[in-house]
């Protein structure tokens, strides 16, 4: 797996004040923009990547994918939930606070992707769309390494019965029950099932539930809160 790098942040080590303390990386959650800029620089430096070469998205809970080969610069940041690159040295980033951050890389082809998969993105198929875009750039699902990060777990993500049925109709593996016995959705399990069907076998899931962890931001727990980030890049 030489040359592929994956990283997920927790909430510590930044400069944001409550309720965004400390390492909020989201620019659209009400935090001080200067603090977010500083946090993004701190996070990049701790990973050894150039903060100016990190590419972010305007995430909208859809299945849109765009290919990128340079930072956006002065261009508007597109409203998509997955970005794909064939450019080594460019770092792709995804923001979450309960949704599943999905990082993908084929180190042989030199193709990477970052995707944001919440419940709507799971149903809409954002992760399969990202894998398709990667294969169009020369990636092979059998070589793709997939890492999913901290997200709300299936024992905590309570939804109405009808919503669980709707999600399970699209992805049966996401059918779940809360620890207190009510309908729930397991988005991470659904994402991994989608990847399995696409032939992506090298997969790991970070065993952290954001809602249960005091070290992570959780939208469902706190509503006004920061955003974690997942980063993927190829040497
Ligand atoms: Zn949980």
């Amino acid at each position: 797996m030489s040359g592929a790098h994956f990283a997920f942040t927790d909430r510590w080590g930044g400069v944001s004040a409550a309720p965004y303390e400390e390492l909020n990386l989201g620019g659209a959650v009400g935090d001080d923009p200067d603090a977010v800029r500083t946090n993004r620089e701190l996070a990049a430096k701790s990973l050894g990547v150039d903060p100016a070469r990190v590419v972010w998205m305007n995430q909208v809970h859809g299945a849109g994918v765009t290919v990128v080969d340079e930072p956006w610069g002065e261009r508007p940041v597109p409203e998509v939930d997955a970005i794909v690159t064939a450019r080594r040295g460019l770092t792709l980033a995804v923001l979450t606070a309960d949704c599943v951050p999905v990082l993908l890389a084929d180190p042989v082809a030199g193709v990477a992707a970052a995707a944001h998969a919440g419940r709507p993105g799971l149903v809409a198929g954002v992760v399969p769309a990202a894998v398709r875009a990667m294969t169009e750039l020369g990636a092979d699902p059998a070589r793709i390494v997939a890492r999913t990060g901290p997200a709300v777990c299936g024992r905590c993500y309570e939804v109405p019965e009808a919503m669980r049925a709707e999600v399970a109709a699209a992805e049966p593996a996401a059918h779940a029950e809360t620890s207190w016995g009510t309908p729930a959705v397991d988005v991470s399990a659904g994402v991994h099932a989608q990847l399995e069907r696409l032939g992506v076998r090298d997969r790991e899931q970070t065993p952290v539930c954001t809602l249960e962890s005091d070290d992570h931001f959780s939208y469902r727990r706190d509503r006004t809160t920061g955003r974690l980030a997942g980063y993927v890049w190829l040497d």
Side-chain angles (χ1 to χ4, degrees), residues 15-173:
V15 300
S16 290
Y20 307 103
E21 77 277 22
E22 298 170 346
L23 190 68
N24 167 45
L25 297 164
V29 293
D31 194 4
D32 172 9
D34 288 333
V36 175
R37 197 172 308 118
T38 299
N39 288 341
R40 288 182 172 188
E41 286 172 7
L42 289 169
K45 279 172 187 158
S46 78
L47 300 173
V49 303
D50 178 354
R53 302 281 297 163
V54 178
V55 180
W56 304 87
M57 312 173 247
N58 254 335
Q59 301 167 188
V60 292
H61 287 285
V65 183
T66 196
V67 175
V68 58
D69 52 19
E70 284 293 321
W72 305 122
E74 298 303 308
R75 291 172 290 162
V77 178
E79 292 189 344
V80 294
D81 289 88
I83 40 180
V84 177
T85 192
R87 183 63 60 92
R88 294 181 186 270
L90 197 63
T91 302
L92 308 180
V94 49
L95 294 166
T96 59
D98 291 338
C99 291
V100 181
V102 184
L103 306 179
L104 306 164
D106 176 343
V108 177
V111 179
H116 164 248
R119 179 179 46 78
L122 172 70
V123 172
V126 66
V127 173
V131 171
R132 274 195 298 279
M134 290 178 74
T135 56
E136 282 166 15
L137 292 172
D140 178 349
R143 284 192 309 244
I144 292 177
V145 180
R147 299 289 181 262
T148 65
V152 62
C153 81
R155 296 180 311 280
C156 290
Y157 191 177
E158 183 178 50
V159 296
E161 175 71 61
M163 186 177 285
R164 177 172 70 174
E166 177 201 328
V167 175
E171 180 45 72

Side-chain angles (χ1 to χ4, degrees), residues 151-157 179 208-213:
V152 62
C153 81
R155 296 180 311 280
C156 290
Y157 191 177
S179 56
V208 170
C209 171
T210 45
L211 193 142
E212 295 175 73
S213 168

